Amino acid sequence: MEASWRQVAGGRGRARGRATAAPSPGNGVPFRGAGGGREKGSGGAVHASPGGAASTAGGCPVGPEAPQASVATELMSQQKFEEIKKANQAAAKKLIEEHFSSSSEEEGDEDFEGKQGKIVANTFVTYTTQTDGDIRELERTKQYVNEAFQAGAMTCLICIASVKRNQAVWSCSGCFCIFHMPCIQKWAKDSQFLVSSLTDDDFGKKDYPWPCPKCRFEYKRSETPSRYYCYCGKVEDPPLDPWLVPHSCGQVCEREFKPSCGHKCLLLCHPGPCPPCPKMVTTTCYCKKAKPIPRRCSTKEWSCQLPCGRKLLCGQHKCENPCHAGSCQPCPRVSRQKCVCGKKVAERSCASPLWHCDQVCGKTLPCGNHTCEQVCHVGACGECPRSGKRFCPCQKSKFSLPCTEDVPTCGDSCDKVLECGIHRCSQRCHRGPCETCRQEVEKHCRCGKHTKRMPCHKPYICETKCVKMRDCQKHQCRRKCCPGNCPPCDQNCGRTLGCRNHKCPSVCHRGSCYPCPETVDVKCNCGNAKATVPCGRERTTRPPKCKEICSRPPTCHHTSREKHRCHFGPCPPCHQPCQKVLEKCGHFCPASCHDQALIKQTGRHQPSGPWEQPSEPAFIQTALPCPPCQVPISM
């Protein structure tokens, strides 16, 4: 079959009704065009024009204009060929770039696994030299480094897409989760816009923080990422190096350990948290009784397990707990102690010696007429509260009377402000609380839409329901007589998250929902190898390569299959020797196993004409008889 760019003059549906002719080398008889000369309406017949020049039935010139038409056709064909060539080259280049930048590049290949092992070893070599090869403290960091190589493990939780080697990323300093740079920039901008639009009167003026999509760790507006840095933050736009961890600069990390100890991380630039400090320091125990010994800086605080011996707050006993950090616990002993007034004795914890009973003091006051009414107290009872000058109930007149006499009312108007806060009490000076305000006033309801004349002490709530939108901008307030401070929406969001498996459990809100916090295990066929990916990525993540041997039972007459690794789909065909005993001669069949041979199916439907597309050949699995014995014998 010719290429499409060569089918210029004819072909199905493109040159129907015409045929291109070109002069022959000798006799001037025209060749038939690519349409074959037998297409509908052409016939390939040659006619003479009035001017004497020959032309085909389609009207294409054969005389002096024929070379020009042929040259134009060749130029157009060459132009189409160049266009198709450029398109193919661009597609091939894009395919190569995508394959190189993919995080699943060469996954499962033994050479790649060996290369990955060398990269991880080089990353940890400066740490292991300090710990004499001990890598137990590196497990958490090693997990992050391995995920950088594993297919589908590094996933942006905002767009639920894989993070490739050649893409700009940003890593959270709280949970060390990695996001695409454009995704986290849009997230930060949307979060600040949402908060400022709800709470800021001067829109956009205040510096509101924005949270990490995964751990909710808050960052300032000035900390919004604008440039792509490596993990340790030394190199901007780190180059893509196949012999380094993706997005790493290859230099020593040198970040401060957390909690700070004065030393810096010794690993090469790496994802995830820094491991514990491996330096050796000489330190003593918590209680300072033991001799200083050399220990790892990350575990320099230790206990000698001897009794603490420090005096407790009670001042009587010493701490009996083993050597410990921080302050000693309260004294656990129990003793009989008197209350503050000395009337009751009870068994109480030694840590709280001061306590109050529930009895009234009852001591005689200095006036000699009254007793102290305070409950179990410390110190002197004080003067009689009824001695000295006292005011009448309305606080307008003052009287000097013995403590045995009550202060009389003055007869003036009470004039105290009532509970309504507007009117005053109109009664005479009286004891006890003032009565409720009963004046009728014109009152506005809370929402301010209606007025009504009613008693001052009664609140006026109309029946009008608020139609303002709540902060989610989806549901109305619907409260009766709402004063304008509509409460936050209390309905569930319920929108489907980006994973397409779960719904948002948060209260109804504006803006984008947080990413799905669930994770899913993608397993191999046997379930021994698994990769943990964010929810929603399990449909696009390739299962991890399993190194276990396939355990499926054989489907042929052999007792076991040929050894091959765990896989999805049907097992490969058996290539073991048949070894069945031939019936006629008794020899063993030396051919490959043919219990499930693929045979082309015959007798299928034949196409009724050239307009029907031929169907693909079908193959069926069937058992073939053993071939004839090929062992030579003497005759």
Side-chain angles (χ1 to χ4, degrees), residues 18-37:
R18 70 185 183 194
T20 304
S24 64
N27 56 8
V29 178
F31 291 106
R32 284 182 293 180

Side-chain angles (χ1 to χ4, degrees), residues 25 46 49 78 80 82 96 146 148 155 199 250 296 333 399 423 429 479 482 493 495 560 596 618:
V46 181
S49 64
Q78 186 67 22
K80 286 188 176 181
E82 293 295 335
I96 292 173
N146 289 332
T155 303
T199 59
R296 298 274 177 212
R333 297 191 180 187
F399 299 90
H423 306 104
C429 178
R479 284 199 309 169
C482 178
C493 176
R495 286 186 290 183
S560 61
Q596 291 182 326

Side-chain angles (χ1 to χ4, degrees), residues 447 471 494 518:
C447 64
D471 57 354
E518 303 292 333

Side-chain angles (χ1 to χ4, degrees), residues 123 230-233 245 247-253 267-271:
T123 304
C230 62
Y231 297 114
C232 65
V245 178
H247 316 291
S248 169
C249 66
Q251 302 180 30
V252 179
C253 176
L267 302 184
L268 299 185
C269 182
H270 62 90

Side-chain angles (χ1 to χ4, degrees), residues 287-568:
C287 65
K288 313 296 183 185
K289 293 180 180 179
K291 293 182 179 180
I293 59 174
R295 293 178 63 87
R296 298 274 177 212
C297 183
S298 57
T299 59
K300 61 184 178 182
E301 295 182 350
W302 60 285
S303 171
C304 64
Q305 298 301 316
L306 296 175
C308 174
R310 284 182 283 186
K311 185 164 284 190
L312 300 176
L313 295 177
C314 65
Q316 300 178 5
H317 307 105
K318 293 183 178 181
C319 178
E320 298 177 355
N321 293 328
C323 175
H324 59 86
S327 302
C328 298
Q329 296 180 356
C331 184
R333 297 191 180 187
V334 176
S335 59
R336 293 182 61 83
Q337 300 174 7
K338 290 184 178 182
C339 66
V340 172
C341 65
K343 291 184 178 180
K344 284 190 175 182
V345 178
E347 287 190 353
R348 292 182 56 82
S349 172
C350 191
S352 55
L354 297 178
W355 64 286
H356 299 266
C357 66
D358 55 354
Q359 292 189 3
V360 178
C361 177
K363 293 181 181 179
T364 304
L365 296 176
C367 66
N369 299 320
H370 302 96
T371 57
C372 179
E373 297 179 357
Q374 300 182 53
V375 178
C376 186
H377 63 88
V378 183
C381 298
E383 296 293 330
C384 178
R386 296 169 62 90
S387 61
K389 293 184 178 181
R390 288 177 285 167
F391 286 95
C392 66
C394 70
Q395 303 294 316
K396 291 182 178 179
S397 301
K398 186 180 291 187
F399 299 90
S400 295
L401 297 172
C403 64
T404 54
E405 295 183 13
D406 293 331
V407 177
T409 57
C410 65
D412 198 355
S413 61
C414 177
D415 211 26
K416 290 181 182 178
V417 178
L418 300 176
E419 291 183 357
C420 66
I422 301 173
H423 306 104
R424 294 181 177 272
C425 179
S426 58
Q427 293 181 337
R428 296 279 183 180
C429 178
H430 62 89
R431 294 182 176 87
C434 300
E435 64 178 7
T436 306
C437 182
R438 299 188 181 278
Q439 295 191 35
E440 285 198 356
V441 292
E442 193 82 14
K443 299 195 75 172
H444 289 273
C445 63
R446 290 190 306 182
C447 64
K449 295 182 178 180
H450 304 280
T451 57
K452 186 177 181 181
R453 193 162 188 83
M454 56 189 305
C456 183
H457 70 278
K458 290 185 178 180
Y460 179 28
I461 300 176
C462 68
E463 297 295 322
T464 305
K465 292 184 178 180
C466 180
V467 295
K468 289 184 179 179
M469 301 299 289
R470 297 197 178 186
D471 57 354
C472 64
Q473 296 299 314
K474 296 178 183 177
H475 304 105
Q476 290 182 340
C477 176
R478 306 302 295 169
R479 284 199 309 169
K480 288 184 178 180
C481 197
C482 178
N485 55 342
C486 302
C489 187
D490 55 357
Q491 301 188 34
N492 287 333
C493 176
R495 286 186 290 183
T496 304
L497 298 175
C499 64
R500 304 296 178 190
N501 296 328
H502 303 98
K503 292 187 176 180
C504 180
S506 304
V507 177
C508 190
H509 58 87
R510 291 177 65 184
S512 303
C513 299
Y514 279 101
C516 182
E518 303 292 333
T519 57
V520 181
D521 289 337
V522 179
K523 298 182 179 180
C524 66
N525 189 39
C526 67
N528 288 329
K530 66 178 181 178
T532 303
V533 298
C535 182
R537 287 283 297 166
E538 68 275 8
R539 293 184 288 270
T540 57
T541 302
R542 290 196 305 173
K545 292 288 184 179
C546 180
K547 296 183 179 180
E548 299 293 329
I549 302 299
C550 180
S551 59
R552 295 182 186 177
T555 54
C556 58
H557 68 279
H558 291 102
T559 57
S560 61
R561 289 186 182 271
E562 293 178 293
K563 289 186 177 181
H564 59 279
R565 290 187 177 181
C566 170
H567 61 92
F568 288 94

